[in-house]
Amino acid sequence: MLHRDISVENIVFEKRGGSYHFILNEFDMATVLPIRHGARYSPSSKHRTGTLPFMACSLLRDAFMMATSEQWQSTTHLLAHDYESLFWVSLWCMLALFLDYLSADERQMNVEILESLEGPTVRAVYQAKQDICTTTLRKSTITLAPPALCLAKWFNGWVRLLYGDYSTTKDRQFGKLKASQPSDPDM
C-alpha cells in the first residue's frame, strides 16, 4: 500500500510504556499495490497527490514538467516516494518544533527554510528542497536544537540515500550541522 499523502497532518503519536509510537492515518489518497511480483500499477487519480512541503522531489518535478512539456513521461508514485516524504516530515518537525531553543538569528534562518517549503509554486518548493540538500547543508545554515541533534546522523544517511548525487562531498552532510546549545540529558 502506498499512502501518497504523508505529512505532519497525517501522523499522530502516543506514548506507550515509555516509548513513543508514531501512527500514520488518513488513507483517503492511498492505493493498494498489486501482489504479483513485478506487476505494474497505475495511480487511481490523474493528478499528483500529497502535501507540497512533504512530497518527494521527483514527484514535484513531475508535476511542473508535465505542465510544460508534451513529451514528459509521468513518474509512477513508488514506496521510495513515501519514504522521502517521511524524511521531509522529520526535517520539518526538527526545524519547527524546537524553535524556542534557538537564538533569534538561528530561529529566523530555520523559519525561512520552513517558509521556503511552502513556496508559492510547485517549482519553487522543488527548488527549495534541492537547495536544502545542497547549498543550505553545505553552508551549515540549519541549526538543530539540542533535542533534535541526536537525529543528525539519520538525516545524513537519508540525504545520501535520497539525494546521493547532490550530497557527495563531506561538507554537504547533516553530520556537519551545529548545535545551538549544550544538550540537556533529560530531554
Side-chain angles (χ1 to χ4, degrees):
M1 177 178 285
L2 297 176
H3 188 276
R4 300 189 324 148
D5 190 18
I6 294 175
S7 68
V8 293
E9 294 87 11
N10 292 336
I11 298 175
V12 296
F13 70 93
E14 66 183 13
K15 191 172 184 177
R16 293 186 215 151
S19 297
Y20 287 96
H21 296 265
F22 294 86
I23 302 157
L24 188 59
N25 62 18
E26 299 293 330
F27 288 85
D28 51 331
M29 298 287 198
T31 187
V32 177
L33 297 173
I35 296 173
R36 298 182 325 273
H37 177 71
R40 301 290 296 179
Y41 77 98
S42 297
S44 59
S45 62
K46 294 189 184 292
H47 62 280
R48 283 283 156 228
T49 58
T51 305
L52 288 181
F54 312 109
M55 284 177 70
C57 284
S58 60
L59 296 178
L60 290 171
R61 183 183 61 242
D62 190 47
F64 70 76
M65 290 300 290
M66 285 183 65
T68 60
S69 174
E70 292 178 19
Q71 297 181 334
W72 184 259
Q73 300 234 337
S74 179
T75 302
T76 301
H77 192 116
L78 303 171
L79 186 57
H81 297 125
D82 279 358
Y83 286 150
E84 184 178 345
S85 292
L86 288 171
F87 165 77
W88 291 110
V89 166
S90 300
L91 179 62
W92 178 275
C93 291
M94 281 184 16
L95 296 177
L97 298 179
F98 302 115
L99 289 173
D100 292 342
Y101 287 87
L102 305 175
S103 71
D105 289 341
E106 293 166 337
R107 186 179 309 122
Q108 180 60 34
M109 183 58 72
N110 284 3
V111 166
E112 288 174 11
I113 293 167
L114 290 167
E115 288 173 348
S116 74
L117 293 174
E118 295 180 340
T121 65
V122 174
R123 186 182 288 258
V125 173
Y126 170 79
Q127 187 59 54
K129 289 182 176 189
Q130 296 304 305
D131 290 347
I132 286 169
C133 290
T134 57
T135 308
T136 302
L137 295 177
R138 184 169 33 87
K139 292 183 178 179
S140 297
T141 53
I142 293 178
T143 301
L144 297 181
L149 193 58
C150 64
L151 298 173
K153 69 177 182 177
W154 298 106
F155 282 97
N156 181 24
W158 276 22
V159 167
R160 283 188 306 202
L161 178 66
L162 298 171
Y163 302 98
D165 55 336
Y166 295 111
S167 61
T168 55
T169 61
K170 290 183 180 182
D171 64 342
R172 294 181 180 172
Q173 298 175 0
F174 268 99
K176 297 270 184 181
L177 294 175
K178 58 186 184 287
S180 172
Q181 57 193 17
S183 181
D184 181 353
D186 295 330
M187 306 261 1

